[in-house]
Amino acid sequence: MRLRGYRRGDAHLLAGPWLPGELLGLPMIDWPMLAEPTTVPAPTDPSQELCIASGLGFVRYTELDWVHRRARVEIGLQAPHSLDVLLKTVVAHGFLTLNLSRLYGWVTPVLDPPVGLLTDVGFQCEATLPESAWLDGRPVDREIWGVVRND
């Protein structure tokens, strides 16, 4: 799988029923029918790199720090198939194409994300932030997961 740059025709891939800012932005099965979809803006900020996974969704490298060579990663998928291949692509693109040394992102454990796929590509849980997000009418924990390039 390859990531490619954003084009205006990809706008439909930037909105969906996922929690904003998640490293594993997978469709939420119990998304309320009346809830507005989460929408990621088209790229305008130079501290972001928005890439498209053709037909699947987007990957955004945000909070890009070119001096320290790190970025936070957000994924928004329309369907969760091929997530394992996409995660490998996300890491390879970040390390080899963008020449970053560290990638990290938010994971919300209460959503029961497939964290085994994260560990398969080298991510580790680095920290838990108690009650750091509001979801389904209550505070929930979030975790920071990261991977470091080892040359």
Side-chain angles (χ1 to χ4, degrees):
M1 174 179 294
R2 290 182 50 109
L3 297 177
R4 64 173 173 76
Y6 172 80
R7 300 178 184 115
R8 281 190 301 256
D10 297 320
H12 67 284
L13 295 173
L14 301 183
W18 55 74
L19 192 61
E22 284 285 294
L23 175 57
L24 295 173
L26 301 172
M28 294 173 61
I29 296 168
D30 296 330
W31 188 265
M33 290 179 57
L34 300 177
E36 290 290 322
T38 299
T39 303
V40 172
T44 56
D45 185 342
S47 70
Q48 297 181 3
E49 173 91 8
L50 181 61
C51 300
I52 299 299
S54 293
L56 294 177
F58 73 88
V59 175
R60 181 166 65 164
Y61 299 85
T62 188
E63 300 173 17
L64 274 163
D65 181 340
W66 296 112
V67 173
H68 298 99
R69 297 179 26 223
R70 64 181 173 224
R72 184 167 61 84
V73 178
E74 301 173 4
I75 296 174
L77 293 180
Q78 302 295 333
H81 67 286
S82 302
L83 178 60
D84 56 340
V85 175
L86 179 60
L87 283 172
K88 290 176 188 171
T89 304
V90 164
V91 172
H93 184 81
F95 289 165
L96 302 176
T97 304
L98 299 178
N99 196 30
L100 299 172
S101 296
R102 174 173 154 68
L103 302 171
Y104 62 96
W106 291 102
V107 175
T108 305
V110 74
L111 298 177
D112 196 27
V115 294
L117 295 178
L118 287 174
T119 58
D120 288 348
V121 296
F123 279 88
Q124 297 178 32
C125 183
E126 298 175 338
T128 299
L129 287 79
E131 299 185 5
S132 64
W134 193 263
L135 182 65
D136 199 23
R138 64 188 171 94
V140 296
D141 296 349
R142 285 186 106 181
E143 297 173 343
I144 297 173
W145 282 69
V147 60
V148 177
R149 180 178 178 175
N150 294 314
D151 289 335

Tab-separated table of all heavy atoms in Angstrom, residues 34-95:
chain	number	residue	atom	x	y	z
A	34	LEU	N	-27.602	10.743	15.005
A	34	LEU	CA	-27.760	12.190	14.886
A	34	LEU	C	-26.447	12.945	15.026
A	34	LEU	O	-26.411	14.151	14.854
A	34	LEU	CB	-28.756	12.685	15.936
A	34	LEU	CG	-30.164	12.096	15.832
A	34	LEU	CD1	-31.031	12.598	16.972
A	34	LEU	CD2	-30.787	12.443	14.492
A	35	ALA	N	-25.360	12.237	15.340
A	35	ALA	CA	-24.071	12.905	15.547
A	35	ALA	C	-23.471	13.334	14.213
A	35	ALA	O	-23.565	12.621	13.219
A	35	ALA	CB	-23.103	11.983	16.269
A	36	GLU	N	-22.886	14.507	14.226
A	36	GLU	CA	-22.161	14.984	13.049
A	36	GLU	C	-20.902	14.153	12.881
A	36	GLU	O	-20.242	13.826	13.859
A	36	GLU	CB	-21.777	16.456	13.237
A	36	GLU	CG	-22.951	17.407	13.186
A	36	GLU	CD	-23.541	17.522	11.797
A	36	GLU	OE1	-22.780	17.515	10.818
A	36	GLU	OE2	-24.774	17.615	11.699
A	37	PRO	N	-20.536	13.810	11.647
A	37	PRO	CA	-19.278	13.084	11.470
A	37	PRO	C	-18.088	13.964	11.836
A	37	PRO	O	-18.151	15.187	11.745
A	37	PRO	CB	-19.250	12.743	9.981
A	37	PRO	CG	-20.380	13.460	9.355
A	37	PRO	CD	-21.243	14.045	10.413
A	38	THR	N	-17.035	13.330	12.288
A	38	THR	CA	-15.785	14.027	12.540
A	38	THR	C	-15.202	14.424	11.197
A	38	THR	O	-15.165	13.616	10.278
A	38	THR	CB	-14.804	13.104	13.277
A	38	THR	OG1	-15.390	12.737	14.515
A	38	THR	CG2	-13.484	13.780	13.511
A	39	THR	N	-14.771	15.666	11.070
A	39	THR	CA	-14.219	16.137	9.809
A	39	THR	C	-12.834	16.725	10.034
A	39	THR	O	-12.628	17.502	10.954
A	39	THR	CB	-15.133	17.218	9.181
A	39	THR	OG1	-16.435	16.659	9.018
A	39	THR	CG2	-14.611	17.654	7.831
A	40	VAL	N	-11.909	16.311	9.197
A	40	VAL	CA	-10.551	16.828	9.219
A	40	VAL	C	-10.457	17.876	8.119
A	40	VAL	O	-10.894	17.630	6.991
A	40	VAL	CB	-9.542	15.691	8.966
A	40	VAL	CG1	-8.144	16.220	8.787
A	40	VAL	CG2	-9.607	14.694	10.095
A	41	PRO	N	-9.921	19.054	8.418
A	41	PRO	CA	-9.818	20.075	7.373
A	41	PRO	C	-8.794	19.695	6.307
A	41	PRO	O	-7.831	18.985	6.578
A	41	PRO	CB	-9.376	21.319	8.132
A	41	PRO	CG	-8.752	20.818	9.381
A	41	PRO	CD	-9.398	19.505	9.695
A	42	ALA	N	-9.023	20.176	5.116
A	42	ALA	CA	-8.052	19.990	4.034
A	42	ALA	C	-6.753	20.676	4.431
A	42	ALA	O	-6.754	21.598	5.246
A	42	ALA	CB	-8.601	20.580	2.741
A	43	PRO	N	-5.629	20.253	3.873
A	43	PRO	CA	-4.337	20.792	4.323
A	43	PRO	C	-4.149	22.266	3.983
A	43	PRO	O	-4.339	22.671	2.855
A	43	PRO	CB	-3.321	19.927	3.576
A	43	PRO	CG	-4.045	19.337	2.436
A	43	PRO	CD	-5.478	19.254	2.830
A	44	THR	N	-3.796	23.038	5.002
A	44	THR	CA	-3.410	24.445	4.824
A	44	THR	C	-2.252	24.790	5.746
A	44	THR	O	-1.573	25.779	5.539
A	44	THR	CB	-4.585	25.398	5.140
A	44	THR	OG1	-5.046	25.140	6.463
A	44	THR	CG2	-5.727	25.229	4.153
A	45	ASP	N	-2.042	23.972	6.768
A	45	ASP	CA	-1.047	24.231	7.795
A	45	ASP	C	0.267	23.528	7.434
A	45	ASP	O	0.285	22.316	7.230
A	45	ASP	CB	-1.587	23.696	9.122
A	45	ASP	CG	-0.704	24.006	10.308
A	45	ASP	OD1	0.477	24.329	10.115
A	45	ASP	OD2	-1.203	23.911	11.439
A	46	PRO	N	1.391	24.260	7.365
A	46	PRO	CA	2.662	23.624	7.010
A	46	PRO	C	3.194	22.656	8.071
A	46	PRO	O	4.114	21.900	7.801
A	46	PRO	CB	3.620	24.804	6.824
A	46	PRO	CG	3.003	25.929	7.549
A	46	PRO	CD	1.518	25.700	7.554
A	47	SER	N	2.605	22.655	9.269
A	47	SER	CA	3.042	21.713	10.293
A	47	SER	C	2.255	20.402	10.212
A	47	SER	O	2.231	19.632	11.160
A	47	SER	CB	2.908	22.317	11.686
A	47	SER	OG	1.549	22.454	12.028
A	48	GLN	N	1.601	20.170	9.072
A	48	GLN	CA	0.838	18.944	8.868
A	48	GLN	C	1.149	18.355	7.499
A	48	GLN	O	1.448	19.078	6.559
A	48	GLN	CB	-0.666	19.211	8.942
A	48	GLN	CG	-1.134	19.709	10.267
A	48	GLN	CD	-2.626	19.946	10.292
A	48	GLN	OE1	-3.335	19.679	9.326
A	48	GLN	NE2	-3.114	20.461	11.391
A	49	GLU	N	1.071	17.054	7.425
A	49	GLU	CA	1.217	16.333	6.166
A	49	GLU	C	0.002	15.424	6.072
A	49	GLU	O	-0.161	14.506	6.878
A	49	GLU	CB	2.510	15.514	6.181
A	49	GLU	CG	2.695	14.612	5.012
A	49	GLU	CD	3.448	15.275	3.871
A	49	GLU	OE1	3.963	16.392	4.044
A	49	GLU	OE2	3.498	14.664	2.805
A	50	LEU	N	-0.898	15.706	5.140
A	50	LEU	CA	-2.112	14.916	4.975
A	50	LEU	C	-1.921	13.981	3.798
A	50	LEU	O	-1.644	14.412	2.678
A	50	LEU	CB	-3.318	15.829	4.748
A	50	LEU	CG	-4.666	15.131	4.589
A	50	LEU	CD1	-5.027	14.337	5.845
A	50	LEU	CD2	-5.751	16.148	4.288
A	51	CYS	N	-2.062	12.688	4.053
A	51	CYS	CA	-1.894	11.669	3.028
A	51	CYS	C	-3.181	10.859	2.901
A	51	CYS	O	-3.949	10.744	3.854
A	51	CYS	CB	-0.757	10.731	3.390
A	51	CYS	SG	0.833	11.538	3.580
A	52	ILE	N	-3.373	10.295	1.738
A	52	ILE	CA	-4.568	9.506	1.454
A	52	ILE	C	-4.180	8.050	1.265
A	52	ILE	O	-3.226	7.736	0.554
A	52	ILE	CB	-5.278	10.032	0.189
A	52	ILE	CG1	-5.722	11.478	0.404
A	52	ILE	CG2	-6.440	9.149	-0.211
A	52	ILE	CD1	-6.703	11.704	1.531
A	53	ALA	N	-4.915	7.171	1.909
A	53	ALA	CA	-4.829	5.737	1.666
A	53	ALA	C	-5.989	5.431	0.717
A	53	ALA	O	-7.147	5.415	1.134
A	53	ALA	CB	-4.962	4.960	2.966
A	54	SER	N	-5.688	5.269	-0.544
A	54	SER	CA	-6.708	5.197	-1.600
A	54	SER	C	-7.866	4.273	-1.239
A	54	SER	O	-7.683	3.107	-0.931
A	54	SER	CB	-6.079	4.723	-2.907
A	54	SER	OG	-5.199	5.700	-3.373
A	55	GLY	N	-9.060	4.860	-1.235
A	55	GLY	CA	-10.280	4.136	-0.968
A	55	GLY	C	-10.537	3.798	0.484
A	55	GLY	O	-11.620	3.348	0.829
A	56	LEU	N	-9.565	4.012	1.354
A	56	LEU	CA	-9.712	3.636	2.762
A	56	LEU	C	-9.956	4.827	3.676
A	56	LEU	O	-10.783	4.775	4.572
A	56	LEU	CB	-8.458	2.912	3.261
A	56	LEU	CG	-8.146	1.566	2.658
A	56	LEU	CD1	-6.831	1.032	3.207
A	56	LEU	CD2	-9.267	0.585	2.941
A	57	GLY	N	-9.200	5.899	3.486
A	57	GLY	CA	-9.304	7.044	4.374
A	57	GLY	C	-8.050	7.891	4.311
A	57	GLY	O	-7.399	7.955	3.274
A	58	PHE	N	-7.704	8.519	5.431
A	58	PHE	CA	-6.562	9.436	5.441
A	58	PHE	C	-5.614	9.105	6.581
A	58	PHE	O	-5.964	8.425	7.550
A	58	PHE	CB	-7.030	10.887	5.584
A	58	PHE	CG	-7.528	11.220	6.966
A	58	PHE	CD1	-6.652	11.665	7.948
A	58	PHE	CD2	-8.859	11.075	7.303
A	58	PHE	CE1	-7.095	11.951	9.223
A	58	PHE	CE2	-9.312	11.360	8.573
A	58	PHE	CZ	-8.439	11.807	9.540
A	59	VAL	N	-4.400	9.609	6.451
A	59	VAL	CA	-3.388	9.594	7.503
A	59	VAL	C	-2.867	11.013	7.589
A	59	VAL	O	-2.495	11.597	6.577
A	59	VAL	CB	-2.227	8.630	7.169
A	59	VAL	CG1	-1.137	8.728	8.225
A	59	VAL	CG2	-2.733	7.209	7.011
A	60	ARG	N	-2.863	11.569	8.795
A	60	ARG	CA	-2.354	12.928	8.960
A	60	ARG	C	-1.205	12.913	9.959
A	60	ARG	O	-1.347	12.431	11.080
A	60	ARG	CB	-3.460	13.866	9.435
A	60	ARG	CG	-2.970	15.294	9.584
A	60	ARG	CD	-4.085	16.285	9.729
A	60	ARG	NE	-4.842	16.091	10.947
A	60	ARG	CZ	-5.656	17.000	11.454
A	60	ARG	NH1	-5.839	18.154	10.834
A	60	ARG	NH2	-6.316	16.758	12.556
A	61	TYR	N	-0.078	13.412	9.505
A	61	TYR	CA	1.073	13.640	10.374
A	61	TYR	C	0.936	15.098	10.815
A	61	TYR	O	1.047	16.008	9.995
A	61	TYR	CB	2.380	13.421	9.616
A	61	TYR	CG	2.535	12.013	9.089
A	61	TYR	CD1	1.991	11.644	7.867
A	61	TYR	CD2	3.229	11.049	9.816
A	61	TYR	CE1	2.132	10.359	7.378
A	61	TYR	CE2	3.372	9.756	9.334
A	61	TYR	CZ	2.820	9.419	8.111
A	61	TYR	OH	2.959	8.136	7.633
A	62	THR	N	0.655	15.295	12.083
A	62	THR	CA	0.394	16.639	12.575
A	62	THR	C	1.391	16.972	13.688
A	62	THR	O	2.120	16.095	14.145
A	62	THR	CB	-1.073	16.762	13.050
A	62	THR	OG1	-1.353	18.113	13.355
A	62	THR	CG2	-1.363	15.881	14.236
A	63	GLU	N	1.420	18.220	14.095
A	63	GLU	CA	2.402	18.689	15.080
A	63	GLU	C	3.809	18.306	14.622
A	63	GLU	O	4.666	17.930	15.430
A	63	GLU	CB	2.092	18.140	16.470
A	63	GLU	CG	0.728	18.560	16.988
A	63	GLU	CD	0.346	17.888	18.294
A	63	GLU	OE1	1.230	17.339	18.989
A	63	GLU	OE2	-0.850	17.904	18.633
A	64	LEU	N	4.032	18.393	13.315
A	64	LEU	CA	5.342	18.059	12.760
A	64	LEU	C	6.409	18.967	13.355
A	64	LEU	O	6.281	20.178	13.355
A	64	LEU	CB	5.344	18.219	11.248
A	64	LEU	CG	4.854	17.016	10.449
A	64	LEU	CD1	4.501	17.425	9.034
A	64	LEU	CD2	5.882	15.915	10.452
A	65	ASP	N	7.441	18.364	13.866
A	65	ASP	CA	8.575	19.089	14.429
A	65	ASP	C	9.795	18.667	13.619
A	65	ASP	O	10.365	17.594	13.851
A	65	ASP	CB	8.727	18.725	15.906
A	65	ASP	CG	9.862	19.449	16.597
A	65	ASP	OD1	10.783	19.938	15.900
A	65	ASP	OD2	9.852	19.499	17.838
A	66	TRP	N	10.168	19.500	12.649
A	66	TRP	CA	11.263	19.151	11.748
A	66	TRP	C	12.618	19.211	12.429
A	66	TRP	O	13.553	18.546	11.998
A	66	TRP	CB	11.239	20.051	10.510
A	66	TRP	CG	10.008	19.859	9.694
A	66	TRP	CD1	8.993	20.753	9.506
A	66	TRP	CD2	9.629	18.691	8.951
A	66	TRP	NE1	8.016	20.218	8.696
A	66	TRP	CE2	8.380	18.946	8.341
A	66	TRP	CE3	10.217	17.440	8.754
A	66	TRP	CZ2	7.721	18.023	7.543
A	66	TRP	CZ3	9.557	16.513	7.955
A	66	TRP	CH2	8.328	16.799	7.365
A	67	VAL	N	12.748	19.985	13.502
A	67	VAL	CA	14.019	20.066	14.224
A	67	VAL	C	14.274	18.761	14.987
A	67	VAL	O	15.332	18.156	14.895
A	67	VAL	CB	14.041	21.278	15.175
A	67	VAL	CG1	15.287	21.264	16.044
A	67	VAL	CG2	13.933	22.572	14.396
A	68	HIS	N	13.273	18.326	15.746
A	68	HIS	CA	13.420	17.108	16.547
A	68	HIS	C	12.934	15.859	15.800
A	68	HIS	O	12.988	14.760	16.348
A	68	HIS	CB	12.673	17.256	17.876
A	68	HIS	CG	13.215	18.368	18.703
A	68	HIS	ND1	12.639	19.615	18.746
A	68	HIS	CD2	14.321	18.441	19.477
A	68	HIS	CE1	13.343	20.401	19.528
A	68	HIS	NE2	14.376	19.716	19.991
A	69	ARG	N	12.436	16.048	14.579
A	69	ARG	CA	12.030	14.974	13.670
A	69	ARG	C	11.005	14.038	14.296
A	69	ARG	O	11.190	12.833	14.398
A	69	ARG	CB	13.266	14.220	13.186
A	69	ARG	CG	14.172	15.147	12.397
A	69	ARG	CD	15.455	14.566	11.875
A	69	ARG	NE	15.459	13.150	11.650
A	69	ARG	CZ	16.469	12.350	11.999
A	69	ARG	NH1	17.523	12.849	12.590
A	69	ARG	NH2	16.428	11.079	11.741
A	70	ARG	N	9.866	14.622	14.691
A	70	ARG	CA	8.779	13.825	15.272
A	70	ARG	C	7.445	14.374	14.797
A	70	ARG	O	7.343	15.528	14.362
A	70	ARG	CB	8.865	13.823	16.789
A	70	ARG	CG	8.684	15.187	17.390
A	70	ARG	CD	8.812	15.141	18.903
A	70	ARG	NE	8.800	16.493	19.432
A	70	ARG	CZ	9.610	16.939	20.358
A	70	ARG	NH1	10.497	16.149	20.916
A	70	ARG	NH2	9.528	18.185	20.769
A	71	ALA	N	6.425	13.542	14.908
A	71	ALA	CA	5.071	13.961	14.523
A	71	ALA	C	4.046	13.100	15.245
A	71	ALA	O	4.302	11.937	15.568
A	71	ALA	CB	4.877	13.840	13.017
A	72	ARG	N	2.883	13.691	15.466
A	72	ARG	CA	1.731	12.945	15.974
A	72	ARG	C	0.973	12.435	14.756
A	72	ARG	O	0.848	13.144	13.752
A	72	ARG	CB	0.839	13.841	16.829
A	72	ARG	CG	-0.320	13.091	17.468
A	72	ARG	CD	-0.993	13.927	18.534
A	72	ARG	NE	-1.555	15.159	18.034
A	72	ARG	CZ	-2.760	15.263	17.468
A	72	ARG	NH1	-3.528	14.211	17.309
A	72	ARG	NH2	-3.198	16.441	17.066
A	73	VAL	N	0.485	11.216	14.829
A	73	VAL	CA	-0.203	10.592	13.701
A	73	VAL	C	-1.683	10.415	14.036
A	73	VAL	O	-2.031	9.999	15.144
A	73	VAL	CB	0.416	9.213	13.353
A	73	VAL	CG1	-0.338	8.546	12.222
A	73	VAL	CG2	1.884	9.372	13.006
A	74	GLU	N	-2.524	10.750	13.066
A	74	GLU	CA	-3.973	10.517	13.157
A	74	GLU	C	-4.388	9.732	11.925
A	74	GLU	O	-3.928	10.013	10.822
A	74	GLU	CB	-4.737	11.831	13.160
A	74	GLU	CG	-4.386	12.763	14.271
A	74	GLU	CD	-5.065	14.120	14.127
A	74	GLU	OE1	-5.872	14.304	13.187
A	74	GLU	OE2	-4.789	14.994	14.945
A	75	ILE	N	-5.258	8.759	12.136
A	75	ILE	CA	-5.799	7.978	11.027
A	75	ILE	C	-7.318	8.090	11.085
A	75	ILE	O	-7.910	8.066	12.158
A	75	ILE	CB	-5.369	6.495	11.129
A	75	ILE	CG1	-3.853	6.367	11.003
A	75	ILE	CG2	-6.081	5.644	10.089
A	75	ILE	CD1	-3.332	4.964	11.232
A	76	GLY	N	-7.930	8.188	9.933
A	76	GLY	CA	-9.386	8.158	9.831
A	76	GLY	C	-9.764	7.198	8.723
A	76	GLY	O	-9.481	7.462	7.557
A	77	LEU	N	-10.352	6.076	9.093
A	77	LEU	CA	-10.685	5.057	8.101
A	77	LEU	C	-12.186	4.936	7.914
A	77	LEU	O	-12.948	5.022	8.868
A	77	LEU	CB	-10.123	3.692	8.515
A	77	LEU	CG	-8.613	3.572	8.524
A	77	LEU	CD1	-8.200	2.168	8.944
A	77	LEU	CD2	-8.035	3.905	7.172
A	78	GLN	N	-12.567	4.722	6.700
A	78	GLN	CA	-13.974	4.480	6.384
A	78	GLN	C	-14.341	3.032	6.709
A	78	GLN	O	-15.471	2.742	7.058
A	78	GLN	CB	-14.256	4.784	4.913
A	78	GLN	CG	-13.925	6.198	4.504
A	78	GLN	CD	-14.798	7.234	5.182
A	78	GLN	OE1	-15.926	6.971	5.573
A	78	GLN	NE2	-14.278	8.440	5.342
A	79	ALA	N	-13.400	2.115	6.567
A	79	ALA	CA	-13.589	0.702	6.888
A	79	ALA	C	-12.269	0.169	7.439
A	79	ALA	O	-11.205	0.569	6.976
A	79	ALA	CB	-14.007	-0.075	5.649
A	80	PRO	N	-12.313	-0.728	8.427
A	80	PRO	CA	-11.086	-1.142	9.100
A	80	PRO	C	-10.252	-2.210	8.386
A	80	PRO	O	-9.197	-2.574	8.878
A	80	PRO	CB	-11.580	-1.673	10.443
A	80	PRO	CG	-12.971	-2.099	10.200
A	80	PRO	CD	-13.505	-1.191	9.131
A	81	HIS	N	-10.693	-2.693	7.229
A	81	HIS	CA	-9.887	-3.734	6.572
A	81	HIS	C	-8.535	-3.153	6.139
A	81	HIS	O	-8.409	-1.972	5.882
A	81	HIS	CB	-10.639	-4.347	5.390
A	81	HIS	CG	-10.853	-3.408	4.241
A	81	HIS	ND1	-11.767	-2.386	4.279
A	81	HIS	CD2	-10.254	-3.331	3.037
A	81	HIS	CE1	-11.727	-1.723	3.140
A	81	HIS	NE2	-10.813	-2.272	2.371
A	82	SER	N	-7.548	-3.979	6.115
A	82	SER	CA	-6.175	-3.603	5.735
A	82	SER	C	-5.515	-2.661	6.731
A	82	SER	O	-4.534	-1.995	6.392
A	82	SER	CB	-6.139	-2.981	4.339
A	82	SER	OG	-6.655	-3.876	3.394
A	83	LEU	N	-5.987	-2.600	7.965
A	83	LEU	CA	-5.372	-1.711	8.958
A	83	LEU	C	-3.929	-2.120	9.237
A	83	LEU	O	-3.062	-1.264	9.398
A	83	LEU	CB	-6.180	-1.696	10.257
A	83	LEU	CG	-5.617	-0.834	11.385
A	83	LEU	CD1	-5.509	0.622	10.965
A	83	LEU	CD2	-6.449	-0.979	12.641
A	84	ASP	N	-3.652	-3.421	9.268
A	84	ASP	CA	-2.288	-3.864	9.546
A	84	ASP	C	-1.317	-3.375	8.477
A	84	ASP	O	-0.245	-2.856	8.784
A	84	ASP	CB	-2.225	-5.383	9.696
A	84	ASP	CG	-2.783	-6.137	8.490
A	84	ASP	OD1	-3.550	-5.535	7.702
A	84	ASP	OD2	-2.449	-7.328	8.341
A	85	VAL	N	-1.702	-3.482	7.216
A	85	VAL	CA	-0.853	-3.012	6.119
A	85	VAL	C	-0.723	-1.489	6.174
A	85	VAL	O	0.355	-0.939	5.964
A	85	VAL	CB	-1.417	-3.471	4.757
A	85	VAL	CG1	-0.618	-2.896	3.606
A	85	VAL	CG2	-1.454	-4.984	4.688
A	86	LEU	N	-1.819	-0.802	6.492
A	86	LEU	CA	-1.784	0.656	6.572
A	86	LEU	C	-0.838	1.120	7.676
A	86	LEU	O	-0.069	2.059	7.481
A	86	LEU	CB	-3.185	1.222	6.790
A	86	LEU	CG	-3.261	2.738	6.912
A	86	LEU	CD1	-2.738	3.419	5.655
A	86	LEU	CD2	-4.672	3.184	7.209
A	87	LEU	N	-0.859	0.473	8.838
A	87	LEU	CA	0.033	0.878	9.926
A	87	LEU	C	1.496	0.707	9.541
A	87	LEU	O	2.330	1.555	9.849
A	87	LEU	CB	-0.279	0.095	11.203
A	87	LEU	CG	-1.522	0.561	11.954
A	87	LEU	CD1	-1.849	-0.405	13.086
A	87	LEU	CD2	-1.353	1.966	12.481
A	88	LYS	N	1.829	-0.367	8.849
A	88	LYS	CA	3.203	-0.548	8.365
A	88	LYS	C	3.572	0.575	7.397
A	88	LYS	O	4.684	1.102	7.435
A	88	LYS	CB	3.346	-1.909	7.681
A	88	LYS	CG	3.284	-3.063	8.638
A	88	LYS	CD	3.327	-4.386	7.899
A	88	LYS	CE	3.064	-5.521	8.869
A	88	LYS	NZ	2.885	-6.799	8.200
A	89	THR	N	2.624	0.952	6.553
A	89	THR	CA	2.855	2.023	5.591
A	89	THR	C	3.029	3.362	6.298
A	89	THR	O	3.885	4.164	5.925
A	89	THR	CB	1.685	2.091	4.585
A	89	THR	OG1	1.538	0.814	3.963
A	89	THR	CG2	1.906	3.157	3.535
A	90	VAL	N	2.222	3.610	7.332
A	90	VAL	CA	2.309	4.851	8.107
A	90	VAL	C	3.696	5.004	8.722
A	90	VAL	O	4.313	6.063	8.649
A	90	VAL	CB	1.215	4.873	9.205
A	90	VAL	CG1	1.495	5.929	10.254
A	90	VAL	CG2	-0.153	5.080	8.582
A	91	VAL	N	4.207	3.937	9.314
A	91	VAL	CA	5.526	3.979	9.944
A	91	VAL	C	6.616	4.151	8.880
A	91	VAL	O	7.512	4.992	9.019
A	91	VAL	CB	5.757	2.721	10.805
A	91	VAL	CG1	7.194	2.653	11.295
A	91	VAL	CG2	4.792	2.713	11.986
A	92	ALA	N	6.538	3.377	7.795
A	92	ALA	CA	7.548	3.483	6.735
A	92	ALA	C	7.552	4.878	6.117
A	92	ALA	O	8.620	5.467	5.910
A	92	ALA	CB	7.291	2.426	5.665
A	93	HIS	N	6.382	5.440	5.848
A	93	HIS	CA	6.298	6.779	5.256
A	93	HIS	C	6.879	7.823	6.213
A	93	HIS	O	7.628	8.715	5.807
A	93	HIS	CB	4.849	7.105	4.902
A	93	HIS	CG	4.676	8.414	4.204
A	93	HIS	ND1	4.891	8.568	2.867
A	93	HIS	CD2	4.331	9.638	4.671
A	93	HIS	CE1	4.677	9.833	2.520
A	93	HIS	NE2	4.333	10.502	3.601
A	94	GLY	N	6.524	7.713	7.484
A	94	GLY	CA	7.028	8.663	8.472
A	94	GLY	C	8.540	8.609	8.625
A	94	GLY	O	9.209	9.639	8.699
A	95	PHE	N	9.090	7.404	8.646
A	95	PHE	CA	10.524	7.257	8.867
A	95	PHE	C	11.339	7.430	7.590
A	95	PHE	O	12.377	8.091	7.610
A	95	PHE	CB	10.837	5.900	9.493
A	95	PHE	CG	10.398	5.774	10.931
A	95	PHE	CD1	10.322	4.531	11.520
A	95	PHE	CD2	10.071	6.874	11.702
A	95	PHE	CE1	9.923	4.392	12.848
A	95	PHE	CE2	9.675	6.756	13.024
A	95	PHE	CZ	9.603	5.505	13.602
